[in-house]
Amino acid sequence: MTTGPRLSLLGVAMLAAGAAQAQDVYFSQAYANRQADNPAWAGLVDDYSATLSYRDQFPQLAGSFQTVQLAADWRLPRPGLHHALGILISQDRAGTVGYTRFGATAQYAYHTRLTRTLALSGGAQLGYGRQRVGYDNLTFGDQYSADGTYTGASAESLAGFPPVNYVTVGVGGVLYAEQAWLSVSGQHLNRPDLGFRTQAGLPLRLAVSGGYKLFLQKAAGAGKGEVHEISFTPTLGYTRQGGSQRSEAGAYFLADPVTLGALYRNLSSPDLGTQHVVAVVAGIAFGDLRIGYSYDVGVSQLASDLGGAHEITLTLRAFDRVESAFRRLKRRNYPPPLVLASDSS
């Protein structure tokens, strides 16, 4: 076998082991991808929304870790706007060997008011996952002649590993007011087995995050239900999964229709030690369409060598602000609307 395939096989073995041992994909645009963090976010910000995300991580490696995710949610109009449904579909791909992981998750959330200004959303989710490793795109030394000419199929055995199927369960809650929120979630409560040859459970993932939006200016626009704002939003987050943990602090500045942000992330694991990453975020809104882009910059040596990450999000969303104001004036038992750092990214 040539050196290239050996390195590819080693890379996929490491990635497969990492997937089996602990690490879910994380997004730098966390609030644009909030359903991946906590099922209680379903239907909480908009009447409905759909977000398509793409993340290309470690681009300096041969065969970077790429993730495509589609998230959608819908707040049911009856009874009482308390119920919401969500769906999350993702595809991860890594390495030239062809490691892939597919996931599909159904979510449900219930929103209720605790006081006139404080509300709670509780959510649960059930997901299906499938991961596999394929060797079809590898070439070996016996497929080439001495002058480098391709000669045909290899005699190497390419049986590989059988696919792994699993089910995962998660729950979460979001305590929120109109300008502030606190999110707590637990994923993989059943610790599903992701091992290819031996049993390897996916550890429980616990996450806590929160933020506060400070309005510097907020005024009604010329259009129906339009609101123009200038705001500053600091955020904090902490995630622990297995022996690894991630803490982060961010700040976002919104001046309709543009959002700019920066995020510092501290990653700690037994295998890689402590890594430091800074992500810069930019977003713009065109009516109900939101476009966001972020780039991770590795501050630590290893994180820098791996090449950071690119991330793009496209969001289509709708929220009836006029109806929301009417509900508040009538003092009905509906939760207040929540505004996030990602409202325009």
Side-chain angles (χ1 to χ4, degrees):
M1 187 188 299
T2 62
T3 302
R6 286 186 184 276
L7 291 176
S8 299
L9 284 171
L10 176 61
V12 168
M14 293 173 63
L15 288 166
Q21 290 176 4
Q23 296 311 303
D24 294 324
V25 176
Y26 59 83
F27 291 93
S28 292
Q29 299 176 61
Y31 291 104
N33 297 282
R34 54 190 175 271
Q35 285 179 248
D37 179 66
N38 190 338
W41 284 115
L44 193 54
V45 180
D46 307 298
D47 287 335
Y48 65 84
S49 71
T51 299
L52 181 63
S53 303
Y54 170 76
R55 181 176 175 86
D56 184 10
Q57 192 165 339
F58 308 143
Q60 298 301 326
L61 293 179
S64 59
F65 196 102
Q66 299 178 2
T67 297
V68 178
Q69 177 181 275
L70 174 64
D73 62 343
W74 177 41
R75 181 188 300 148
L76 302 181
R78 291 181 177 82
L81 295 171
H82 291 289
H83 306 270
L85 301 176
I87 188 171
L88 197 65
I89 300 174
S90 63
Q91 175 79 35
D92 301 327
R93 181 178 296 274
T96 56
V97 174
Y99 168 78
T100 60
R101 181 168 60 179
F102 170 81
T105 302
Q107 300 175 321
Y108 167 78
Y110 181 81
H111 313 150
T112 185
R113 184 188 292 275
L114 301 178
T115 69
R116 185 171 179 176
T117 59
L118 189 65
L120 177 67
S121 173
Q125 66 181 35
L126 179 65
Y128 162 78
R130 178 183 176 89
Q131 69 173 16
R132 64 181 298 273
V133 174
Y135 302 96
D136 297 340
N137 59 340
L138 287 181
T139 56
F140 298 84
D142 62 351
Q143 295 179 260
Y144 296 91
S145 62
D147 62 358
T149 304
Y150 180 77
T151 58
S154 172
E156 296 282 352
S157 174
L158 302 179
F161 301 106
V164 175
N165 301 284
Y166 62 94
V167 174
T168 178
V169 178
V171 297
V174 178
L175 183 68
Y176 65 100
E178 187 171 354
Q179 295 174 239
W181 67 93
L182 175 66
S183 168
V184 179
S185 66
Q187 306 283 2
H188 314 306
L189 301 182
N190 57 325
R191 303 186 183 185
D193 180 19
L194 271 66
F196 284 108
R197 293 293 190 188
T198 60
Q199 186 172 1
L202 183 58
L204 173 68
R205 188 185 86 198
L206 299 175
V208 180
S209 62
Y212 179 82
K213 173 172 279 194
L214 175 64
F215 287 106
L216 305 178
Q217 177 181 320
K218 187 176 181 181
K224 179 181 177 182
E226 287 185 359
V227 177
H228 293 286
E229 72 173 71
I230 299 176
S231 63
F232 176 75
T233 308
T235 64
L236 293 172
Y238 175 81
T239 303
R240 184 176 185 87
Q241 188 173 24
S244 302
Q245 54 187 337
R246 181 175 83 249
S247 56
E248 54 193 32
Y252 301 86
F253 177 75
L254 167 63
D256 271 332
V258 176
T259 300
L260 298 175
L263 181 73
Y264 165 76
R265 181 179 297 116
N266 181 296
L267 304 167
S268 177
S269 71
D271 297 328
L272 301 178
T274 301
Q275 303 298 319
H276 306 277
V277 176
V278 174
V280 291
V281 182
I284 188 168
F286 301 93
D288 291 336
L289 178 65
R290 308 294 193 260
I291 301 175
Y293 171 77
S294 65
Y295 180 71
D296 292 10
V297 179
V299 179
S300 303
Q301 185 63 47
L302 177 60
S304 177
D305 291 343
L306 292 176
H310 300 275
E311 189 174 301
I312 300 173
T313 61
L314 300 176
T315 300
L316 179 65
R317 50 175 295 201
F319 182 77
D320 192 336
R321 297 184 184 276
V322 174
E323 173 64 18
S324 175
F326 174 76
R327 293 198 299 264
R328 292 200 301 275
L329 288 173
K330 295 292 288 184
R331 297 184 182 180
R332 295 182 180 179
N333 188 32
Y334 298 137
L338 176 62
V339 289
L340 281 179
S342 62
D343 271 2
S344 295
S345 64

